[in-house]
């Protein structure tokens, strides 16, 4: 059973989305709180932010595990100890096995740097530039075993400029991630997502 107010955030890097979520949770007085941040990389900048803000942290190096299943099993145990209402992938770079997803089914959420179903997987900004699309963006989705194909909770669109490079485009998309991810995480944590196949309705805060 989920505990109802612990959010666990998984990161691999800088953690700017973690910060955006944490800031929103504090500023808006969410009933849920970020209880723990778990990184598969010791050097992840997001760990420093978490420590500086009194959030529990753990590092689980996937290279120390004998295989993917073993890493996922240990990660699942660590997460389950918090009985989380939401498990947030915020720039987490390891694909999670079907067994892992099943264990936290309906509580896993990810932000992906493209307008899904376009450009699932890695290297999205380079691929968007190479494909010549005029619009790009970010997607928040529930995580299923089918990589980057879970039910879509929120999306935001940005223009692609003629003189864009990967870095400029990524920065424009990241700004939108920070805008759409926190309210989606909040809605999940507060039980305000209604999922019907691949379609998700977010029940507004007031009319719960
Ligand atoms: N797991 C499942 N089951 N489903 C999803 O939708 C997932 C997921 C795990 C992560 C984030 C995702 C993204 O937003 C995500 C969604 C990593 C890879 C990847 O190929 C792909 C997609 C995403 C994250 N990772 C390599 C791997 O072998 C490692 C890459 C690295 O370490 O730099 O796992 O894009
Ligand atoms: C974000 O752009 C996120 O969408 C992306 O990594 C960045 C993490 O930034 N995620 C993926 O590419 C997942 N494969 P952050 O660490 O500053 O939140």
């Amino acid at each position: 059973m989920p505990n109802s107010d612990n959010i666990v955030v998984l990161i691999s890097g800088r953690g700017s989305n973690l910060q955006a979520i944490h800031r929103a949770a504090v500023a808006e007085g969410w009933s849920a709180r970020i209880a723990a941040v778990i990184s598969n990389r010791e050097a992840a900048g997001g760990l420093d932010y978490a420590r500086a803000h009194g959030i529990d942290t753990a590092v689980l190096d996937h290279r120390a595990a004998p295989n993917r299943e073993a890493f996922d099993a240990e990660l699942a145990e660590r997460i389950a100890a918090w009985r989380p209402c939401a498990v947030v992938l915020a720039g987490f770079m390891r694909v999670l096995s079907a067994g892992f997803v099943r264990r936290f089914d309906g509580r896993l959420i990810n932000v992906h740097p493209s307008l899904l179903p376009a450009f699932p997987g890695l290297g999205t900004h380079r691929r968007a530039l190479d494909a010549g699309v005029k619009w790009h963006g970010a997607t928040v989705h529930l995580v299923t075993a089918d990589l980057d194909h879970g039910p879509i909770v929120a999306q935001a669109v940005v223009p692609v400029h003629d003189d864009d490079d990967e870095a400029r485009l990524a920065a424009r998309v990241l700004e939108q991630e920070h805008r759409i991810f926190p309210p989606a995480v909040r809605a999940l944590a507060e039980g305000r997502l209604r999922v019907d196949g691949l379609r998700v309705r977010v029940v507004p805060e007031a009319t719960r």
Side-chain angles (χ1 to χ4, degrees), residues 10 12 40-41 62 68 72 89-101 108-114 116 119-124 127 139 141-150:
L10 307 185
S12 297
N40 66 309
R41 290 185 53 240
H62 61 278
R68 208 173 267 274
D72 281 11
L89 276 50
F92 184 67
M93 298 308 291
R94 303 299 300 174
V95 174
L96 299 164
S97 59
F100 180 100
V101 171
L108 282 161
I109 194 165
N110 177 47
V111 64
H112 179 78
S114 80
L116 292 172
F119 313 120
L122 304 178
T124 56
R127 288 157 63 205
T139 301
H141 66 93
L142 296 177
V143 172
T144 61
D146 195 3
L147 185 70
D148 290 334
H149 284 77

